[in-house]
Amino acid sequence: MKTGSRIAIAAAMVLLLTAYFLPLWEITLSAPQYPEGLSMDIWLNGITGNVLQINGLNHYIGMQHIDPQNFAEFKIAPYVFGLLILIGSVASVKGSRKLLIGLLALMIVFAATGFIDFYLWEYNYGHNLDPHAAIKVEGMYYQPPLVGYKQLLNFLAGSFPATGGMLIGLAGIITAATLYIEIRNGKRNEKERNDRAAGALDHRLQSKA
């Protein structure tokens, strides 16, 4: 790997490190009775925000209470990010393209797994309702959007990456772009070597002739 690529990967790992200090995702709820809105911030190892108020609303419509202690993901994710940062740091120091390929593959797998897990949690959260809830609306489910906005009764629910999530996305883009550049440069260098070797061979053949 060239020096610029190694610096880029080091910078990407610094961006991944911010996941330990910044929220990754934000879910918001707005309604006329809550002019300032309600929100939850999802971190690498927990949830903060208006969790108590949202749980109070959930109680009336039969939705499950949100308890960070019930999420195994919050115990696993810090170690996964630590592994990614370790692999990326070693790749940057050693200039290893193979480690860089492994890093990007793990980042893609982890991101896909995370979104699938998030969607499945939202689906269960919005569909597995208490049949004895105080408020029941026939045929109504309360699954929040994966990304974007969705109307749920008189609440407008929003789901978007927070600052940490955007920085992680940027780290992924930097990693993918760096690997692409490295592979492209490698192919170009190989072509130049082959052209030089072919030219040298032609020169020797002409000399013998």
Side-chain angles (χ1 to χ4, degrees):
M1 287 169 55
K2 292 189 175 181
T3 301
S5 295
R6 296 167 73 170
I7 292 173
I9 295 303
M13 294 307 99
V14 172
L15 293 177
L16 281 187
L17 192 62
T18 64
Y20 292 91
F21 311 103
L22 295 172
L24 307 182
W25 207 265
E26 183 181 32
I27 295 177
T28 62
L29 293 171
S30 58
Q33 63 268 43
Y34 292 96
E36 296 182 358
L38 300 173
S39 66
M40 292 191 307
D41 288 326
I42 301 175
W43 298 68
L44 194 61
N45 60 351
I47 303 175
T48 59
N50 305 116
V51 181
L52 290 177
Q53 294 94 322
I54 292 173
N55 278 339
L57 294 170
N58 290 347
H59 172 74
Y60 289 106
I61 57 177
M63 296 178 72
Q64 304 169 52
H65 278 209
I66 299 170
D67 184 355
Q69 298 300 320
N70 294 334
F71 293 86
E73 294 88 341
F74 292 141
K75 298 179 178 65
I76 298 171
Y79 295 102
V80 173
F81 269 78
L83 177 62
L84 293 175
I85 293 170
L86 176 61
I87 293 173
S89 299
V90 174
S92 175
V93 171
K94 290 191 171 184
S96 172
R97 190 182 298 172
K98 289 183 179 179
L99 282 177
L100 182 57
I101 292 172
L103 171 65
L104 182 60
L106 286 175
M107 291 175 76
I108 292 171
V109 169
F110 180 61
T113 302
F115 274 107
I116 291 171
D117 183 65
F118 187 37
Y119 173 83
L120 293 175
W121 171 76
E122 287 188 323
Y123 183 89
N124 179 63
Y125 178 68
H127 286 77
N128 187 17
L129 306 175
D130 182 358
H132 305 293
I135 300 175
K136 290 185 288 186
V137 179
E138 188 68 27
M140 183 67 191
Y141 298 102
Y142 305 98
Q143 179 181 357
L146 184 64
V147 180
Y149 289 103
K150 184 178 181 180
Q151 192 71 38
L152 301 172
L153 296 180
N154 63 325
F155 282 89
L156 180 63
S159 178
F160 294 96
T163 304
M166 289 186 283
L167 292 178
I168 291 172
L170 180 58
I173 292 172
I174 291 174
T175 302
T178 301
L179 180 58
Y180 170 78
I181 292 170
E182 279 294 315
I183 292 174
R184 184 191 63 184
N185 289 342
K187 290 181 178 179
R188 180 186 300 163
N189 293 338
E190 183 179 0
K191 183 178 182 301
E192 290 176 353
R193 286 194 299 268
N194 291 337
D195 290 343
R196 284 196 299 269
L201 179 60
D202 288 342
H203 179 73
R204 287 196 299 269
L205 291 175
Q206 289 174 3
S207 298
K208 290 180 180 181

